[in-house]
Amino acid sequence: MACASSVMASQTILETFLRDRLFDLVPSAIAVIDRTFSVVHANQTFQDLFGEWRGRHCFEVYKGLKRRCARCRAARTFIDGKLRTHAEVGLDCQGRVAHYVVHVAAVTQEDGSIPFLVEMSTDITRQSQLGEALSRANVLNRALVEASGDAILALDTKGRVTLCNPAAETLFGWTSAELAGRPPPAGLLPPDYAESLRRGNPMRVVPDMQVPRKGGGSVQVGFCGVPLSEGDRLIGSAAFFHDLTEVKQLEHEKLTAERLAAVGQTVAGLAHGVKNIMTGLEGGLYLMRSGLDRANDQRVREGFDMLGRNIGRVSSFVRTLLDFSRGRTPAVRLVNPVAMGEDAVALFRDAASRAGVSVRVEAENAVPPAAFDPEEMHTSLSNLVTNAIDACRSSEQADRQVVVSVREEPDPYPFRVPPAVPPTMVVFEVRDNGVGMEYEVQQKVFSNFFTTKGETGTGLGLLLTRKIVQEHGGTVAIESKPGSGTAIRLVFPRRRLPRVRDEGQAS
């Protein structure tokens, strides 16, 4: 008897725990409703979610309604006793929209009647909000991808196309159906793209590359590829292609317009240069005539010398003008940049030495060959060296010198460098310790017909130098200080140098 009483007591304690404690320990909101749809019992989680329930109907507590729901699943369960699970939208105790999943189970008596239902509700409001936000983000992202003017391909971890936007279909000629589920056609991605992803690189950029089109032909694009990850797990990649056709056309038209504008400015200024020369010719002719009339041989010789100087100036002026105005593509080939600097220096070293000016080449390390037009570059460097020597001749410093420095420097924009092109720049610097230039003069040295040499200069030398440098994709920079000298830098990023064709021409 004692043992039986002990067992019954344990069962009572267990039943009490299950009724009074476990009911509130369940993380879901639990409510018991009767056949009038009144809530007769609920746990604390239910009250925390939906608020006060005592003396209220379920449709009041769940949704704030005054009558039973039109499609009441509880009513159907009272009839057939089946377990039901469904999603609902109601109001929480603060009057905010709440999303929850309801499991409805019947409490069946021995005679088969169903006096009560147990409803267990799981709050999924946060998950629903996140799902809606994710859905909106997906719609927005899809719209952005579809409306993008750039071609976009998405790839899975095996390199197969999972997305192809309309711009990609237009650019490449393949439809989304033709590309989906397959690796992109050969040549569409950089050769090292897959390896770049495996190495974990955050981005692969190719500023200028040729990609194939369906049916033959190719198109020039800028490429950017980025990995797609979920946490630390790689799930694929996205490849972006920007059509450079119009950009390249605009660049070509811009260069052509700049050259034509420069030629137009030169022709406009030609009258001024010719006028000065004609004045000299007229002066020489006047001296000769007056000398002949007066039988003055000295005056005749002075007039003859003046004519000779101005005729020589006409010849030099016309040759320089023709060189400047000539529109041509640099005839590039792979040459040694240091050797080009040495050739320019060797041409003037002896004459400069006689004038008390030392000229030398400075090249600390070997510079790999680069694509230049050697004749054009010789013209540019010769112009700079002669100007530097003239500046030193006018200086009163004891140790007058001109240094031609040839070196290689890192490209400040390595992400723009195409594959197989070194991320470096070839730099030529011509510096002297001559008289230097005021700031105002520095701003005019590349202007048409500006010269500091009086009648001995045409004013086209540095303008021609800048033109040649620009044709090679380079830039010119000048630094000068009165009394200290001048340094002019010609900078050529290797990524912008003309390419060498098999026949040795630029492309």
Side-chain angles (χ1 to χ4, degrees):
M1 288 292 290
C3 181
S5 298
S6 176
V7 171
M8 291 181 63
S10 297
Q11 290 177 342
T12 302
I13 293 172
L14 178 59
E15 290 174 358
T16 301
F17 173 78
L18 292 175
R19 183 181 67 250
D20 299 337
R21 297 291 306 280
L22 187 60
F23 198 59
D24 284 331
L25 292 176
V26 175
S28 297
I30 300 177
V32 179
I33 63 174
D34 61 16
R35 298 189 71 89
T36 67
F37 301 99
S38 297
V39 180
V40 297
H41 194 54
N43 67 353
Q44 187 61 44
T45 304
F46 184 91
Q47 182 159 330
D48 292 341
L49 178 59
F50 295 108
E52 183 56 49
W53 52 270
R54 293 171 181 83
R56 301 177 69 194
H57 294 96
C58 60
F59 47 83
E60 294 179 275
V61 178
Y62 283 120
K63 300 189 176 184
L65 300 178
K66 295 183 178 180
R67 60 176 59 89
R68 200 178 78 188
C69 302
R71 298 180 62 187
C72 180
R73 291 177 174 83
R76 294 171 61 186
T77 303
F78 272 123
I79 295 172
D80 59 23
K82 291 183 179 180
L83 179 69
R84 286 182 167 81
T85 301
H86 57 278
E88 289 285 354
V89 179
L91 300 174
D92 65 10
C93 60
Q94 303 294 327
R96 298 171 301 196
V97 174
H99 297 261
Y100 49 95
V101 175
V102 184
H103 301 274
V104 183
V107 178
T108 307
Q109 294 183 326
E110 293 182 0
D111 61 359
S113 63
I114 304 175
F116 303 104
L117 298 180
V118 176
E119 293 187 337
M120 184 171 67
S121 303
T122 302
D123 184 10
I124 59 168
T125 303
R126 180 60 178 162
Q127 294 91 321
S128 179
Q129 291 172 342
L130 291 175
E132 290 177 359
L134 181 60
S135 178
R136 287 194 297 269
N138 285 336
V139 171
L140 176 61
N141 290 339
R142 174 67 67 171
L144 291 174
V145 170
E146 294 296 314
S148 172
D150 287 338
I152 301 175
L153 296 180
L155 312 174
D156 61 19
T157 54
K158 294 184 179 180
R160 297 171 300 201
V161 176
T162 59
L163 180 147
C164 171
N165 72 340
E169 293 181 322
T170 302
L171 182 62
F172 303 130
W174 289 282
T175 66
S176 180
E178 290 174 314
L179 295 175
R182 301 181 178 88
L188 209 59
L189 300 176
D192 63 342
Y193 182 57
E195 179 61 27
S196 175
L197 291 177
R198 282 193 292 270
R199 289 197 302 265
N201 292 339
M203 185 181 296
R204 179 69 178 96
V205 176
V206 182
D208 193 342
M209 61 182 285
Q210 293 285 133
V211 296
R213 299 190 78 252
K214 182 181 179 181
S218 62
V219 61
Q220 208 162 3
V221 300
F223 172 84
C224 177
V226 295
L228 302 177
S229 304
E230 282 186 351
D232 295 332
R233 185 171 67 92
L234 181 68
I235 61 173
S237 65
F240 302 85
F241 304 81
H242 182 69
D243 188 358
L244 297 179
T245 304
E246 292 186 6
V247 174
K248 294 297 180 181
Q249 180 64 28
L250 289 173
E251 286 181 355
H252 176 72
E253 292 175 357
K254 179 175 179 292
L255 289 174
T256 302
E258 288 177 349
R259 183 181 61 79
L260 291 176
V263 172
Q265 293 170 7
T266 301
V267 172
L270 182 61
H272 176 72
V274 170
K275 178 183 177 182
N276 290 338
I277 295 173
M278 291 301 298
T279 300
L281 291 172
E282 290 172 353
L285 186 61
Y286 171 77
L287 287 175
M288 287 189 66
R289 283 178 175 172
S290 61
L292 290 172
D293 291 342
R294 301 174 187 176
N296 186 333
D297 292 342
Q298 178 64 29
R299 198 172 182 85
V300 171
R301 282 193 295 272
E302 290 177 0
F304 184 79
D305 290 343
M306 184 177 291
L307 285 173
R309 287 196 304 273
N310 281 279
I311 290 173
R313 190 162 180 243
V314 168
S315 177
S316 174
F317 186 88
V318 170
R319 280 197 303 271
T320 306
L321 181 61
L322 288 174
D323 285 340
F324 175 75
S325 61
R326 186 187 303 125
R328 61 186 296 272
T329 301
V332 302
R333 64 175 186 268
L334 288 178
V335 294
N336 185 339
V338 176
M340 286 197 300
E342 291 174 343
D343 288 344
V345 166
L347 189 64
F348 302 102
R349 182 179 283 117
D350 291 340
S353 179
R354 289 193 295 271
V357 180
S358 69
V359 184
R360 61 185 175 86
V361 174
E362 185 180 82
E364 297 179 359
N365 300 304
V367 178
F372 287 106
D373 183 328
E375 298 301 324
E376 295 277 81
M377 288 301 298
H378 181 79
T379 298
S380 294
L381 294 174
S382 296
N383 284 339
L384 299 182
V385 171
T386 54
N387 285 350
I389 293 172
D390 289 341
C392 286
R393 282 174 173 161
S394 303
S395 173
E396 297 180 356
Q397 295 199 39
D399 181 22
R400 296 176 294 177
Q401 59 179 333
V402 174
V403 178
V404 177
S405 172
V406 185
R407 60 186 180 273
E408 194 160 33
E409 296 181 357
D411 192 321
Y413 304 102
F415 57 88
R416 296 180 180 175
V417 179
V421 176
T424 57
M425 308 183 299
V426 179
V427 178
F428 297 91
E429 183 179 75
V430 180
R431 62 180 185 271
D432 63 71
N433 59 353
V435 293
M437 290 181 282
E438 298 285 354
Y439 176 79
E440 292 77 11
V441 176
Q442 295 178 45
Q443 304 307 304
K444 298 177 181 178
V445 292
F446 292 110
S447 300
N448 293 340
F449 301 104
F450 179 81
T451 179
T452 60
K453 302 177 183 179
E455 292 188 359
T456 62
T458 63
L460 287 172
L462 286 179
L463 199 59
L464 177 60
T465 294
R466 186 178 67 173
K467 172 178 173 287
I468 293 171
V469 171
Q470 290 176 341
E471 288 175 343
H472 284 77
T475 58
V476 184
I478 183 170
E479 294 180 10
S480 187
K481 185 177 180 181
S484 299
T486 301
I488 297 181
R489 283 165 47 92
L490 312 183
V491 182
F492 300 92
R494 286 184 180 270
R495 58 184 165 83
R496 297 191 61 187
L497 286 172
R499 292 193 295 272
V500 180
R501 291 179 179 171
D502 292 339
E503 65 271 23
Q505 295 299 312
S507 65

